[in-house]
Amino acid sequence: MRDDPRLPTAPGFWRSPLRGPWFTSVLGLVLLAGLTVLFVTGLLSYAAYNPDLAPVNDKTPDKGILGFYLFAWPTDPHWLYRLNQGVHVTLGVTLIPVLLAKLWSVVPKLFALPPARSLAHALERISLLLLVGGALFEFVTGVLNVQLDYVFPGSFYPLHFYGAWVFFAAFAAHAVLKTPAAVRNLRALRDEHGPRDERAPRTERDPGPGADPLVSPRPDAPTVSRRGALGFVGGGSLLLFATTAGQTTDGPLRRTALLAPHGGPDPGTGPNGFQINKTARYAGIRPSETGPDVWRLVVTGRTGTVRLTRDDLLRLPPHSASLPIACVEGWSTSDQRWRGVRLRDLAALVGHEGDPPDVFVESLQLRGAFRRAALRADQVADPRSLLALYVNGEELSPDHGHPARIIVPAAPGVLNTKWVARLTFGDL
């Protein structure tokens, strides 16, 4: 099977003259830097949910020691989550052509025989399967989540979280083994050949026992240089960047965010004319539940429970804050001007003067993820954390959470609960 050129297990089956240590090493070093940033920003995104605060915030309840790094997510700077998630999603999409090119460049190794020459070689092959499978899984689920296509078998959060750890463990092991060789390949080929020999056709030859399995012994005539191929990959990445990055910015670039459903042009006009995640209709919020004669905010704390109408809330001291909304899919808004009642003032109404405690927030929404959420005491205490009643000088629209919604600096969008019905203050 190894010598039959009709089978992928034969070195002569793979004819492209582009494959080789230089091409693979360049792609590998780009991925080394890019995937490391992806992993770190992904962990930070998970930490932003404060998953160890309350079960409703934690979509990965069996994480165990994988949550060793978790910390209380800060409220400063107020754009922290917007930046982190924008980098995570935009970089992930931008790296797709690089990842596909890297997998294409090393595909002969996946079919190489014998499958294991030694125990060490067998372990390396297994790590490669985890690396390739993990990379494809993480990128596919991430892209589907950005496109709001929830077709995976289960919740995105635990699937992506556990998949990231499996993938990055294999990636780290592979990087430790291969990075020194990649750097040596780049230096050696630069010093010995340089870019001048890239277009020179290679003749058929016996690979010999020590030949690099990526270099074809029967190469086709080259139609493009390796640097040209890298330029093609880079152009694909640049195109994806241009059609994704606008979801995190303001102005004309937002119109280029064709790959981000919520990142395109502002929906509608006026003070409520900015991006939303789910509409009131989608969440099942009926106007009969939010009218002034029906809706009440139930606030519970140390001294008992109070029920507040919207007029009651309007009689409390008003406060304003300019804050963005940023979502896990990578899209975000610019700073919007919110006005309402501070969460710390609502905590004081039920006996929590001074340093307020955590708060458990419940929405009128009856079903779906994050219809309930928990906020840490530092988030409640921040003077910019509001139960918002107005945005940009106008009452909240139904899709933006009328009659009241949470807005907290630096928090993921799903923790800024809309259509708030109940606040329960206390240690969670």
Side-chain angles (χ1 to χ4, degrees), residues 279-287 289-290 363-366 402 419:
T279 64
R281 180 178 179 181
Y282 177 86
I285 305 301
R286 300 184 299 271
E289 299 176 286
T290 59
S363 173
L364 290 173
Q365 183 181 347
L366 297 179
H402 178 82
W419 313 295

Side-chain angles (χ1 to χ4, degrees), residues 343-344 347 356-359 375-383 385 425:
L343 294 183
R344 61 194 295 176
D358 310 326
V359 64
L375 299 173
R376 285 192 182 276
D378 66 308
Q379 294 173 311
V380 177
D382 193 294
S385 296
F425 291 94

Side-chain angles (χ1 to χ4, degrees), residues 296-310:
R296 299 291 184 272
L297 175 69
V298 180
V299 184
T300 301
R302 181 184 295 145
T303 58
T305 298
V306 297
R307 295 169 62 87
L308 303 172
T309 66
R310 184 177 172 86

Side-chain angles (χ1 to χ4, degrees), residues 189-208:
L189 290 173
R190 179 196 62 193
D191 296 340
E192 294 176 14
H193 305 291
R196 295 185 301 276
D197 297 332
E198 288 179 351
R199 288 186 178 271
R202 291 177 293 180
T203 57
E204 184 172 335
R205 58 189 179 276
D206 181 3

Side-chain angles (χ1 to χ4, degrees), residues 219-410:
D220 289 329
T223 58
V224 64
S225 69
R226 286 177 180 151
R227 292 207 172 186
L230 286 177
F232 180 76
V233 173
S237 290
L238 183 61
L239 178 62
L240 290 180
F241 177 83
T243 52
T244 304
Q247 67 178 332
T248 64
T249 64
D250 302 319
L253 281 180
R254 188 175 286 277
R255 297 184 179 275
T256 69
L258 304 178
L259 299 183
H262 291 318
D266 291 343
T269 58
N272 279 275
F274 56 94
Q275 283 74 16
I276 59 171
N277 193 344
K278 64 182 70 172
T279 64
R281 180 178 179 181
Y282 177 86
I285 305 301
R286 300 184 299 271
S288 59
E289 299 176 286
T290 59
D293 297 331
V294 178
W295 180 79
R296 299 291 184 272
L297 175 69
V298 180
V299 184
T300 301
R302 181 184 295 145
T303 58
T305 298
V306 297
R307 295 169 62 87
L308 303 172
T309 66
R310 184 177 172 86
D311 287 340
D312 292 332
L313 291 170
L314 291 174
R315 283 190 285 268
L316 294 173
H319 293 271
S320 298
S322 293
L323 299 172
I325 295 176
C327 200
V328 67
E329 291 96 356
W331 65 269
S332 59
T333 73
S334 58
D335 288 358
Q336 309 297 321
R337 188 68 176 171
W338 307 90
R339 184 160 62 89
V341 182
R342 294 188 304 187
L343 294 183
R344 61 194 295 176
D345 293 341
L346 292 170
L349 289 179
V350 287
H352 297 285
E353 300 282 355
D355 293 332
D358 310 326
V359 64
F360 186 65
V361 185
E362 298 176 77
S363 173
L364 290 173
Q365 183 181 347
L366 297 179
R367 292 176 299 278
F370 294 104
R371 61 188 176 88
R372 299 177 297 170
L375 299 173
R376 285 192 182 276
D378 66 308
Q379 294 173 311
V380 177
D382 193 294
R384 297 165 295 177
S385 296
L386 304 176
L387 180 74
L389 307 173
Y390 295 88
V391 63
N392 299 322
E394 187 175 279
E395 278 192 15
L396 295 170
S397 68
D399 289 343
H400 280 299
H402 178 82
R405 69 169 298 162
I406 297 293
I407 188 73
V408 173

